[in-house]
Amino acid sequence: MTAPVEISNSHADASQDKSTLFTGWATTGTIELKQWSYHPRPLSKDDIEVEITYCGICGSDVRAITSGRESELGPRIAGHEMVGKVVATGADTTHQIGDIVGVSCLVTSCGDCRDCDDGFEQLCPGRTFTFSGKYNDGRGGLTYGGFADRIRVVGKHAFKLPEGLQGPEAAPLFCAGITMYTPLKDFGAGPGKKVGI
């Protein structure tokens, strides 16, 4: 295998932490994935850095990869069903180094709108998706997903796994599991009820 290549990114600026490189598998305009390295955003007081150990593959990841075209933001590292170990934390997060967490399709949201207040951050107009996005929080930077060795996210968008739940089983829950949770809850699913998924 060849060494990962850092591809020139026209968005390189102060929104990148030049002291470190993360490496993932990116599509760069063809279906074939190539190893690609990039500088993440600097770790803020609200962020955590996660060393990714497992990442599921969703239909939207497959579509992003097999579209055969590069994102308008450059190389695309897909993956939004990830589990890993917290290896760095900002001062204002509740996570601890060593926590095993899961991350889904969001890396940040505004935290101040009605949707965020109601617990529906996925509807927030200021949300930022896990990959192929621009951060909307004023700090700049681009997002790259879980088909990589590490990721930095706002801590409130990472969820500590309960004891006994293993990474391979947990990773898909951060897409399909979350997608199904809201309708099951909203329509009163529970013991003795029959549901179809």
Side-chain angles (χ1 to χ4, degrees):
M1 175 176 6
T2 59
V5 176
E6 183 182 355
I7 296 174
S8 174
N9 187 334
S10 61
H11 300 280
D13 55 26
S15 66
Q16 295 182 347
D17 178 353
K18 298 287 189 171
S19 70
T20 190
L21 279 176
F22 291 178
T23 300
W25 290 94
T27 180
T28 57
T30 66
I31 293 175
E32 181 184 356
L33 297 181
K34 297 179 181 176
Q35 249 187 328
W36 182 70
S37 295
Y38 64 95
H39 298 291
R41 284 203 321 172
L43 192 74
S44 82
K45 61 186 177 67
D46 300 316
D47 291 342
I48 62 171
E49 182 176 316
V50 179
E51 182 179 55
I52 300 167
T53 52
Y54 299 96
C55 188
I57 300 174
C58 173
S60 53
D61 297 319
V62 173
R63 280 192 303 278
I65 293 167
T66 60
S67 68
R69 67 183 196 281
E70 186 175 5
S71 161
E72 64 275 7
L73 300 177
R76 175 187 290 131
I77 295 176
H80 62 277
E81 308 178 355
M82 63 201 93
V83 169
K85 180 171 68 173
V86 176
V87 293
T89 63
D92 291 348
T93 65
T94 58
H95 295 289
Q96 304 294 317
I97 291 177
D99 284 353
I100 304 300
V101 298
V103 177
S104 187
C105 65
L106 292 182
V107 290
T108 189
S109 59
C110 81
D112 292 323
C113 69
R114 179 178 168 188
D115 291 316
C116 286
D117 288 343
D118 290 343
F120 291 102
E121 290 93 343
Q122 72 274 20
L123 303 176
C124 170
R127 70 189 179 268
T128 303
F129 291 113
T130 304
F131 67 86
S132 295
K134 290 182 181 179
Y135 283 94
N136 297 313
D137 60 4
R139 292 178 50 219
L142 303 175
T143 63
Y144 302 99
F147 298 164
D149 56 357
R150 293 180 182 232
I151 191 168
R152 288 181 178 170
V153 302
V154 172
K156 75 175 186 174
H157 292 291
F159 305 92
K160 187 174 179 181
L161 295 189
E163 289 291 328
L165 184 58
Q166 300 296 310
E169 292 81 20
L173 296 176
F174 287 94
C175 179
I178 288 174
T179 301
M180 295 312 312
Y181 175 77
T182 298
L184 290 172
K185 182 178 179 186
D186 287 352
F187 290 101
K193 301 251 179 117
K194 292 184 180 179
V195 299
I197 297 177

